[in-house]
Amino acid sequence: MTDSSINSFLSMMKFNADGLIAAIAQQHDTGEVLMMAWMNKDSIRETLITNQVCYYSRSRQKLWRKGETSGQVQTLVEMRLDCDGDTLLLLVDQKGVACHTGRRNCFFHAYRDGEIVEVSRPLMDPNKLYHQ
């Protein structure tokens, strides 16, 4: 992508008051919804240039390169913008788990028949996910 095409794409986006836009990560080949995070213009630009997904961490107030400490990298296949311009869909190739809890995705609590049910177990120990 050229700088001009990235700027054109960014101009179509509606960022919130904090300069952020919601981003849903979905496994490109299975359709599995992996996670939701936030992106700003810098993280979007970096993602489009490198094809390695970069988010914006609200808690750390800085760019968060997915997998930089855990090794659980997301490679961008395609970035899509919704009809309202306020949500991104990232079609990714997820290496390993996407959730900091050690699960494949972040959506593991379900409300079923009046009860909250855990629908997936961790695939790896979350304490071993991050390098100190």
Side-chain angles (χ1 to χ4, degrees), residues 37-97:
W38 295 95
M39 297 181 91
N40 66 8
K41 288 182 180 180
D42 291 337
S43 67
I44 293 166
R45 185 178 304 283
E46 181 173 321
T47 298
L48 291 171
I49 290 170
T50 66
N51 287 328
Q52 296 301 307
V53 179
C54 178
Y55 297 105
Y56 182 79
S57 171
R58 295 178 301 164
S59 61
R60 292 177 281 195
Q61 296 288 299
K62 67 177 194 170
L63 295 182
W64 159 42
R65 291 159 185 91
K66 182 71 174 157
E68 69 186 340
T69 57
S70 68
Q72 312 300 300
V73 176
Q74 287 179 351
T75 302
L76 182 69
V77 174
E78 185 172 84
M79 184 181 291
R80 298 180 183 177
L81 181 64
D82 79 333
C83 59
D84 295 321
D86 62 1
T87 305
L88 293 170
L89 176 63
L90 308 179
L91 300 178
V92 302
D93 188 18
Q94 173 70 50
K95 175 185 174 192
V97 299

XYZ file of all heavy atoms in Angstrom, residues 37-97:
494
model
N -10.230 -5.316 19.917
C -9.264 -4.398 20.509
C -9.450 -3.037 19.846
O -10.347 -2.856 19.022
C -7.839 -4.919 20.316
N -8.599 -2.099 20.202
C -8.686 -0.749 19.672
C -7.468 -0.432 18.820
O -6.374 -0.942 19.075
C -8.786 0.261 20.822
C -10.041 0.093 21.591
C -10.210 -0.647 22.741
C -11.321 0.627 21.285
N -11.515 -0.595 23.152
C -12.219 0.190 22.281
C -11.799 1.446 20.268
C -13.562 0.542 22.282
C -13.135 1.796 20.276
C -14.004 1.351 21.276
N -7.679 0.405 17.819
C -6.581 0.857 16.964
C -6.660 2.377 16.832
O -7.744 2.956 16.947
C -6.674 0.214 15.580
C -6.539 -1.303 15.595
S -6.634 -2.052 13.958
C -4.887 -2.041 13.525
N -5.497 2.988 16.617
C -5.455 4.402 16.280
C -4.807 4.524 14.900
O -4.455 3.517 14.278
C -4.742 5.221 17.358
C -3.270 4.892 17.492
O -2.687 4.157 16.696
N -2.648 5.448 18.521
N -4.641 5.730 14.426
C -4.092 5.909 13.076
C -2.700 5.301 12.947
O -2.382 4.687 11.929
C -4.067 7.388 12.699
C -5.451 7.941 12.417
C -5.411 9.400 12.003
C -6.828 9.908 11.742
N -6.841 11.316 11.332
N -1.869 5.466 13.967
C -0.509 4.925 13.905
C -0.503 3.396 13.853
O 0.271 2.802 13.107
C 0.333 5.399 15.092
C 0.651 6.882 15.023
O 0.624 7.460 13.917
O 0.935 7.470 16.090
N -1.363 2.759 14.655
C -1.392 1.289 14.665
C -1.960 0.743 13.357
O -1.501 -0.291 12.855
C -2.162 0.752 15.873
O -3.532 1.070 15.803
N -2.933 1.444 12.787
C -3.487 1.031 11.495
C -2.422 1.148 10.411
O -2.215 0.232 9.622
C -4.735 1.867 11.138
C -5.877 1.547 12.107
C -5.163 1.626 9.696
C -7.023 2.531 12.066
N -1.747 2.275 10.407
C -0.694 2.506 9.410
C 0.382 1.416 9.515
O 0.772 0.809 8.525
C -0.081 3.889 9.614
C 0.938 4.271 8.569
C 1.481 5.677 8.803
N 0.453 6.700 8.870
C -0.184 7.211 7.824
N 0.114 6.789 6.610
N -1.099 8.133 7.973
N 0.845 1.136 10.735
C 1.875 0.107 10.931
C 1.381 -1.263 10.476
O 2.105 -2.006 9.824
C 2.322 0.049 12.387
C 3.401 -0.984 12.602
C 3.994 -0.968 13.993
O 4.200 0.118 14.560
O 4.263 -2.068 14.513
N 0.142 -1.586 10.806
C -0.434 -2.872 10.414
C -0.478 -3.023 8.896
O -0.100 -4.060 8.354
C -1.850 -3.039 11.010
O -1.758 -3.016 12.443
C -2.503 -4.333 10.563
N -0.917 -1.976 8.219
C -1.019 -2.031 6.759
C 0.351 -2.104 6.090
O 0.506 -2.747 5.057
C -1.811 -0.826 6.237
C -3.304 -0.840 6.591
C -3.943 0.493 6.212
C -4.018 -1.998 5.921
N 1.338 -1.475 6.670
C 2.684 -1.468 6.086
C 3.415 -2.790 6.339
O 4.054 -3.336 5.444
C 3.500 -0.275 6.623
C 2.927 1.027 6.052
C 4.982 -0.414 6.274
C 3.482 2.281 6.696
N 3.281 -3.335 7.562
C 4.057 -4.525 7.943
C 3.305 -5.839 7.783
O 3.915 -6.908 7.798
C 4.511 -4.428 9.409
O 3.354 -4.483 10.264
C 5.317 -3.170 9.663
N 1.965 -5.781 7.711
C 1.101 -6.969 7.717
C 1.169 -7.736 9.031
O 0.680 -8.862 9.108
C 1.365 -7.896 6.528
C 0.827 -7.316 5.244
O -0.178 -6.620 5.246
N 1.500 -7.578 4.156
N 1.740 -7.157 10.067
C 1.714 -7.714 11.422
C 0.782 -6.811 12.219
O 1.008 -5.595 12.297
C 3.107 -7.741 12.053
C 4.075 -8.648 11.327
C 3.601 -10.099 11.268
O 3.268 -10.701 12.280
N 3.555 -10.655 10.068
N -0.258 -7.389 12.831
C -1.280 -6.574 13.468
C -0.720 -5.856 14.695
O -0.052 -6.443 15.545
C -2.509 -7.420 13.845
C -3.555 -6.559 14.541
C -3.112 -8.068 12.592
N -1.015 -4.566 14.734
C -0.607 -3.681 15.820
C -1.858 -2.969 16.320
O -2.601 -2.390 15.525
C 0.426 -2.685 15.293
S 0.979 -1.475 16.496
N -2.093 -3.030 17.615
C -3.242 -2.366 18.220
C -2.749 -1.186 19.050
O -1.555 -0.950 19.170
C -4.015 -3.345 19.122
C -4.618 -4.511 18.391
C -4.062 -5.781 18.484
C -5.755 -4.351 17.607
C -4.622 -6.863 17.821
C -6.318 -5.433 16.940
C -5.754 -6.680 17.055
O -6.306 -7.751 16.399
N -3.709 -0.488 19.669
C -3.371 0.560 20.624
C -3.849 0.096 21.992
O -5.026 -0.215 22.174
C -4.031 1.890 20.261
C -3.642 2.981 21.228
C -2.409 3.607 21.127
C -4.478 3.324 22.282
C -2.021 4.573 22.031
C -4.100 4.294 23.190
C -2.877 4.912 23.067
O -2.485 5.856 23.977
N -2.948 0.034 22.949
C -3.292 -0.376 24.310
C -3.751 0.840 25.106
O -2.963 1.762 25.357
C -2.078 -1.013 24.993
O -2.350 -1.218 26.364
N -5.007 0.833 25.491
C -5.537 1.939 26.292
C -4.935 1.948 27.690
O -4.685 3.000 28.243
C -7.065 1.862 26.378
C -7.732 2.059 25.022
C -9.227 1.931 25.094
N -9.592 0.610 25.597
C -10.782 0.278 26.058
N -11.752 1.165 26.087
N -11.022 -0.942 26.481
N -4.682 0.775 28.258
C -4.133 0.719 29.616
C -2.672 1.179 29.669
O -2.255 1.840 30.612
C -4.266 -0.686 30.206
O -3.549 -1.617 29.411
N -1.908 0.859 28.626
C -0.496 1.252 28.583
C -0.272 2.558 27.825
O 0.826 3.094 27.836
C 0.341 0.137 27.951
C 0.419 -1.103 28.827
C 1.182 -2.198 28.138
N 0.270 -2.829 27.175
C 0.467 -3.982 26.588
N 1.573 -4.652 26.813
N -0.420 -4.494 25.764
N -1.321 3.028 27.133
C -1.244 4.270 26.363
C -0.112 4.244 25.327
O 0.643 5.198 25.179
C -1.069 5.474 27.300
C -2.232 5.707 28.240
C -3.451 6.247 27.527
O -3.404 7.315 26.940
N -4.552 5.505 27.560
N -0.017 3.104 24.628
C 1.008 2.986 23.585
C 0.616 1.895 22.598
O -0.310 1.121 22.850
C 2.378 2.698 24.193
C 2.500 1.339 24.856
C 3.922 1.126 25.354
C 4.149 -0.335 25.694
N 5.547 -0.624 25.953
N 1.353 1.828 21.497
C 1.110 0.793 20.505
C 1.404 -0.574 21.107
O 2.332 -0.726 21.905
C 1.975 1.015 19.258
C 1.687 2.275 18.455
C 2.577 2.328 17.223
C 0.225 2.388 18.067
N 0.568 -1.542 20.717
C 0.701 -2.916 21.208
C 0.780 -3.814 19.988
O -0.193 -4.009 19.283
C -0.504 -3.240 22.102
C -0.813 -4.671 22.300
C 0.066 -5.691 22.514
C -2.120 -5.267 22.315
N -0.616 -6.875 22.658
C -1.948 -6.643 22.545
C -3.408 -4.758 22.161
C -3.025 -7.516 22.618
C -4.467 -5.632 22.245
C -4.271 -6.995 22.467
N 1.958 -4.298 19.741
C 2.185 -5.184 18.604
C 1.830 -6.601 19.027
O 2.534 -7.198 19.826
C 3.629 -5.059 18.134
C 3.885 -3.706 17.517
C 5.346 -3.295 17.490
N 5.464 -1.931 16.981
C 5.448 -0.844 17.750
N 5.326 -0.960 19.070
N 5.555 0.356 17.218
N 0.724 -7.087 18.503
C 0.201 -8.394 18.918
C 1.276 -9.462 18.778
O 1.836 -9.654 17.704
C -1.033 -8.762 18.077
C -1.685 -10.071 18.454
C -2.390 -9.985 19.771
C -3.152 -11.281 20.050
N -3.384 -11.486 21.449
N 1.589 -10.110 19.896
C 2.571 -11.183 19.902
C 3.983 -10.759 20.241
O 4.870 -11.596 20.339
N 4.219 -9.454 20.474
C 5.587 -9.004 20.717
C 6.180 -9.584 21.995
O 7.391 -9.787 22.062
C 5.703 -7.478 20.708
C 5.039 -6.773 21.865
C 5.055 -5.253 21.718
O 5.873 -4.719 20.945
O 4.243 -4.595 22.373
N 5.358 -9.878 22.991
C 5.875 -10.506 24.212
C 5.424 -11.950 24.365
O 6.069 -12.715 25.059
C 5.463 -9.711 25.472
O 4.040 -9.594 25.513
C 6.090 -8.327 25.483
N 4.343 -12.322 23.704
C 3.803 -13.682 23.864
C 4.196 -14.619 22.723
O 4.096 -15.832 22.865
C 2.276 -13.640 23.952
O 1.723 -13.250 22.705
N 4.558 -14.061 21.583
C 4.835 -14.884 20.406
C 3.575 -15.296 19.663
O 3.640 -15.981 18.644
N 2.402 -14.879 20.128
C 1.111 -15.242 19.534
C 0.725 -14.196 18.486
O -0.187 -13.408 18.658
C 0.042 -15.364 20.615
C 0.446 -16.187 21.830
C 0.798 -17.619 21.507
O -0.021 -18.369 20.988
N 2.010 -18.024 21.829
N 1.446 -14.182 17.392
C 1.374 -13.140 16.365
C 0.125 -13.269 15.496
O -0.326 -14.368 15.198
C 2.641 -13.222 15.471
C 2.589 -12.230 14.328
C 3.890 -13.022 16.311
N -0.395 -12.110 15.086
C -1.473 -12.059 14.103
C -0.924 -11.436 12.823
O -0.461 -10.293 12.833
C -2.644 -11.201 14.595
C -3.457 -11.842 15.672
C -4.591 -10.947 16.153
O -4.680 -9.782 15.806
N -5.460 -11.510 16.968
N -0.980 -12.193 11.739
C -0.573 -11.677 10.438
C -1.828 -11.218 9.703
O -2.808 -11.969 9.608
C 0.148 -12.771 9.618
O 1.284 -13.219 10.372
C 0.598 -12.247 8.277
N -1.804 -10.004 9.209
C -2.958 -9.451 8.508
C -3.112 -10.084 7.134
O -2.163 -10.161 6.367
C -2.808 -7.933 8.352
C -3.979 -7.226 7.685
C -5.207 -7.237 8.595
C -3.597 -5.798 7.326
N -4.320 -10.544 6.833
C -4.664 -11.026 5.500
C -5.428 -9.926 4.763
O -5.157 -9.635 3.611
C -5.486 -12.338 5.579
C -5.968 -12.768 4.206
C -4.666 -13.435 6.253
N -6.374 -9.292 5.483
C -7.160 -8.206 4.878
C -7.760 -7.355 5.981
O -8.155 -7.868 7.026
C -8.272 -8.806 4.010
C -9.078 -7.787 3.239
C -10.036 -8.458 2.260
O -11.147 -8.858 2.679
O -9.654 -8.595 1.086
N -7.824 -6.054 5.741
C -8.485 -5.126 6.662
C -9.718 -4.576 5.962
O -9.637 -4.102 4.828
C -7.550 -3.982 7.049
C -8.144 -3.025 8.078
S -7.035 -1.635 8.506
C -5.739 -2.483 9.404
N -10.862 -4.647 6.658
C -12.125 -4.152 6.105
C -12.718 -3.106 7.046
O -12.572 -3.197 8.257
C -13.134 -5.293 5.942
C -12.685 -6.361 4.975
C -13.720 -7.454 4.874
N -13.276 -8.531 4.003
C -13.969 -9.639 3.791
N -15.159 -9.802 4.367
N -13.486 -10.575 2.991
N -13.421 -2.151 6.464
C -14.101 -1.099 7.208
C -15.602 -1.282 7.049
O -16.079 -1.518 5.932
C -13.667 0.268 6.660
C -14.243 1.513 7.315
C -13.799 1.614 8.778
C -13.808 2.753 6.539
N -16.350 -1.174 8.156
C -17.803 -1.366 8.066
C -18.481 -0.167 7.409
O -17.856 0.868 7.163
C -18.398 -1.674 9.445
C -18.593 -0.447 10.320
O -17.859 0.549 10.158
O -19.475 -0.488 11.188
N -19.766 -0.321 7.129
C -20.536 0.669 6.380
C -20.619 2.017 7.082
O -20.740 3.053 6.421
C -21.940 0.144 6.082
S -22.878 -0.266 7.574
N -20.544 2.041 8.416
C -20.605 3.294 9.166
C -19.235 3.934 9.327
O -19.127 5.067 9.795
C -21.205 3.063 10.557
C -22.654 2.621 10.490
O -23.395 3.142 9.644
O -23.043 1.755 11.296
N -18.183 3.193 9.001
C -16.834 3.719 9.114
C -16.286 3.743 10.524
O -15.251 4.356 10.777
N -16.977 3.042 11.458
C -16.532 3.126 12.854
C -16.049 1.805 13.451
O -15.783 1.720 14.647
C -17.633 3.721 13.735
C -18.901 2.878 13.763
O -18.948 1.813 13.120
O -19.859 3.298 14.438
N -15.930 0.780 12.627
C -15.436 -0.516 13.108
C -14.630 -1.184 11.999
O -15.044 -1.209 10.845
C -16.595 -1.455 13.512
O -17.416 -0.791 14.477
C -16.085 -2.752 14.120
N -13.484 -1.737 12.400
C -12.640 -2.485 11.468
C -12.826 -3.978 11.689
O -13.014 -4.429 12.823
C -11.165 -2.140 11.690
C -10.752 -0.723 11.348
C -9.340 -0.451 11.851
C -10.845 -0.490 9.849
N -12.760 -4.722 10.602
C -12.699 -6.177 10.662
C -11.333 -6.564 10.117
O -10.994 -6.225 8.982
C -13.804 -6.817 9.814
C -13.768 -8.341 9.720
C -13.965 -8.995 11.087
C -14.816 -8.841 8.730
N -10.543 -7.220 10.957
C -9.219 -7.671 10.556
C -9.281 -9.163 10.301
O -9.530 -9.946 11.223
C -8.191 -7.391 11.653
C -8.134 -5.964 12.190
C -7.079 -5.859 13.279
C -7.871 -4.973 11.082
N -9.106 -9.560 9.058
C -8.995 -10.975 8.732
C -7.529 -11.316 8.931
O -6.660 -10.722 8.288
C -9.458 -11.240 7.314
C -10.917 -10.849 7.024
C -11.257 -11.106 5.570
C -11.869 -11.569 7.942
N -7.264 -12.233 9.855
C -5.887 -12.502 10.265
C -5.564 -13.986 10.206
O -6.460 -14.835 10.152
C -5.628 -11.995 11.709
C -5.906 -10.502 11.822
C -6.438 -12.768 12.748
N -4.284 -14.262 10.247
C -3.806 -15.618 10.472
C -3.181 -15.598 11.859
O -2.125 -14.984 12.064
C -2.789 -16.018 9.406
C -2.421 -17.494 9.505
O -3.164 -18.261 10.146
O -1.387 -17.868 8.933
N -3.882 -16.194 12.812
C -3.474 -16.182 14.212
C -2.501 -17.323 14.483
O -2.818 -18.479 14.234
C -4.695 -16.316 15.128
C -4.388 -16.470 16.595
C -3.826 -15.204 17.208
O -4.393 -14.135 17.042
N -2.723 -15.324 17.914
N -1.332 -16.994 15.013
C -0.375 -18.010 15.451
C -0.638 -18.255 16.931
O -0.526 -17.346 17.746
C 1.059 -17.516 15.250
C 2.097 -18.475 15.795
C 3.488 -17.905 15.686
C 4.468 -18.838 16.391
N 5.779 -18.204 16.554
N -1.019 -19.474 17.272
C -1.280 -19.806 18.682
C -2.606 -19.256 19.163
O -3.584 -19.206 18.418
N -2.626 -18.826 20.406
C -3.856 -18.339 21.037
C -3.956 -16.825 20.888
O -2.954 -16.133 20.806
C -3.916 -18.745 22.524
C -3.911 -20.259 22.669
C -2.786 -18.136 23.339
